[in-house]
Amino acid sequence: MSPLIIDIHTHVYPPAYMEMLRGRKTVPYVHDPANNKDPRLIILSSDDDPSIPLDERGRPVDSSYWNIDVKLAFMRRHGINCSVISLANPWLDFLEPEEAQAWAQRINDDLEDTCARVNQAADPEKTLALHEKETLYAFGALPLSAPSADIIVNEIKRLKSLPHLRGIIMGTSGLGKGLDDAKLDPVWGALQETESLLFLHPHYGLPDEAFGGSDETNRYGHVLPLALGFPLETTIAVTRMLLSGVFDRFPRLKILLAHSGGTLPFLAGRIESCIHHERKFVANGGDVPGPQRSVWEVLKTNIYLDAVVYGTAGLQAAMTASGADRLLFGTDHPFFPPLDSKEQQWPSVTTNYKAIHAAFDKEGDAVAAVLGGNAARILDLK
């Protein structure tokens, strides 16, 4: 039997989310061109340039972003048995406080209904093994802009009661000040109490100045922001959590990091060395508490990594940092589609398949674990 394949990094804009974005006039919003072409998502302020015709702003979001049948066809094409779908950026971070709770509940319910409908259609009368059908689960989104932490905490607890929700997706800004913000402690506490997995995903990248300014960045398209900005964003966010003692206060917090943790596995030793020599920390005579647990311990007890890194060297670093039993396959669909519309297989997916097999070529059990076994165990997928 072929190994079970579970995609834990795959995005969708469910109907309620698209409706919300269509109802907005400020970034982010969705515009439907008059020529019946694909809707366009204006996601960043730089996309909303008045000098650009409205029908050309932002990026097109074709049916692969919002039509679940297209998602299922993609799964069949690439041999994927189960997908854990989640919103793509910008999640719900931008909502006005008075809107956040209602939209979060509606969108999360939409995700639950979508998974339930697909799974029931695939299995109307009996329980089949995951190998025998295409099934869906989901990571929910949080109303982080809500006026009180209680609203966010209550949604975390509510999501735990939904049969097809298996965790939460969040960006790196938290409540707007980063993930080392002490005001996030109730959120971390609720995630720990409910044993909910947090899928941490980048969105904001690094400032244009890091890549030579906006003019320089435009010369190279999105290569620098996506290839370097996103991974470094994740690395910085998690390191700030470590330095502020989040993992000391919440030792059972479980976090899945997108794109194999950015550069965290590769830089963990350097981060640990700098912490060891930091004079501001109490351990070295300073007055700042500093982290009590090492980077290595956190990586092996609190952190899971997806395998969306497109290369054997990156996978080996991820495996060394967290362990092969904490590495999970993903595709990042529907991003990075084939440039040639005639291509049936997505190079972004087949590259990850090849890297996993190359990294564990003499360990069949490890390949099967990374492709699906780990996710089935960690997310309790029946």
Side-chain angles (χ1 to χ4, degrees), residues 154-364:
N154 289 338
E155 186 62 8
I156 292 172
K157 294 178 178 178
R158 191 182 78 89
L159 289 175
K160 197 68 177 179
S161 70
L162 299 181
H164 296 92
L165 270 289
R166 286 298 186 270
I168 286 144
I169 188 169
M170 182 194 288
T172 62
S173 67
L175 303 176
K177 296 183 178 179
L179 301 185
D180 53 352
D181 183 356
K183 291 182 179 179
L184 278 169
D185 275 9
V187 176
W188 306 139
L191 290 172
Q192 177 172 269
E193 177 189 346
T194 59
E195 299 184 341
S196 299
L197 180 70
L198 171 65
F199 181 25
L200 186 63
H201 195 291
H203 167 54
Y204 300 96
L206 299 181
D208 286 343
E209 289 75 13
F211 308 115
S214 57
D215 290 341
E216 286 291 317
T217 303
N218 288 335
R219 283 174 52 194
Y220 307 113
H222 290 93
V223 174
L224 291 173
L226 289 180
L228 303 181
F230 272 25
L232 287 170
E233 176 188 339
T234 301
T235 305
I236 293 167
V238 177
T239 304
R240 286 172 64 178
M241 293 177 71
L242 177 84
L243 295 174
S244 66
V246 169
F247 297 108
D248 299 325
R249 297 192 300 278
F250 305 97
R252 293 182 289 107
L253 193 61
K254 300 186 298 182
I255 302 180
L256 169 65
L257 300 182
H259 311 126
S260 292
T263 61
L264 191 62
F266 182 80
L267 294 178
R270 181 172 177 83
I271 294 168
E272 188 66 20
S273 176
C274 290
I275 291 172
H276 179 73
H277 291 90
E278 179 51 63
R279 297 181 186 277
K280 288 188 176 183
F281 291 152
V282 169
N284 295 325
D287 57 1
V288 177
Q292 303 303 300
R293 300 171 64 204
S294 72
V295 178
W296 298 113
E297 181 185 350
V298 168
L299 278 167
K300 292 184 182 299
T301 57
N302 300 94
I303 300 297
Y304 301 92
L305 303 173
D306 75 16
V308 186
V309 70
Y310 310 109
T312 305
L315 280 178
Q316 290 173 334
M319 177 185 63
T320 300
S322 289
D325 61 334
R326 305 176 75 82
L327 195 58
L328 292 77
F329 173 75
T331 66
D332 211 357
H333 180 261
F335 297 96
F336 304 107
L339 295 179
D340 183 349
S341 60
K342 296 179 181 179
E343 268 189 281
Q344 292 298 308
Q345 299 290 317
W346 289 41
S348 56
V349 179
T350 56
T351 300
N352 281 330
Y353 276 139
K354 291 175 183 176
I356 291 169
H357 282 280
F360 305 102
D361 60 346
K362 297 180 181 179
E363 304 173 63

Side-chain angles (χ1 to χ4, degrees), residues 20 92 95-109 141-156 158-159:
M20 177 189 66
L92 307 177
L95 290 174
E96 294 297 325
E98 64 274 11
E99 300 179 313
Q101 180 180 15
W103 274 117
Q105 290 179 351
R106 183 175 173 188
I107 289 166
N108 288 331
D109 288 345
L142 296 179
L144 291 176
S145 60
S148 76
D150 288 344
I151 293 174
I152 306 172
V153 167
N154 289 338
E155 186 62 8
I156 292 172
R158 191 182 78 89
L159 289 175

Side-chain angles (χ1 to χ4, degrees), residues 44-65:
L44 299 172
S45 297
S46 57
D47 293 334
D48 202 26
D49 185 343
S51 67
I52 302 173
L54 184 58
D55 287 358
E56 298 175 13
R57 294 181 200 173
R59 57 178 169 82
V61 283
D62 62 26
S63 59
S64 62
Y65 287 84

Side-chain angles (χ1 to χ4, degrees), residues 107-119:
I107 289 166
N108 288 331
D109 288 345
D110 202 341
L111 288 168
E112 167 62 27
D113 291 345
T114 296
C115 294
R117 185 177 69 254
V118 168
N119 295 356

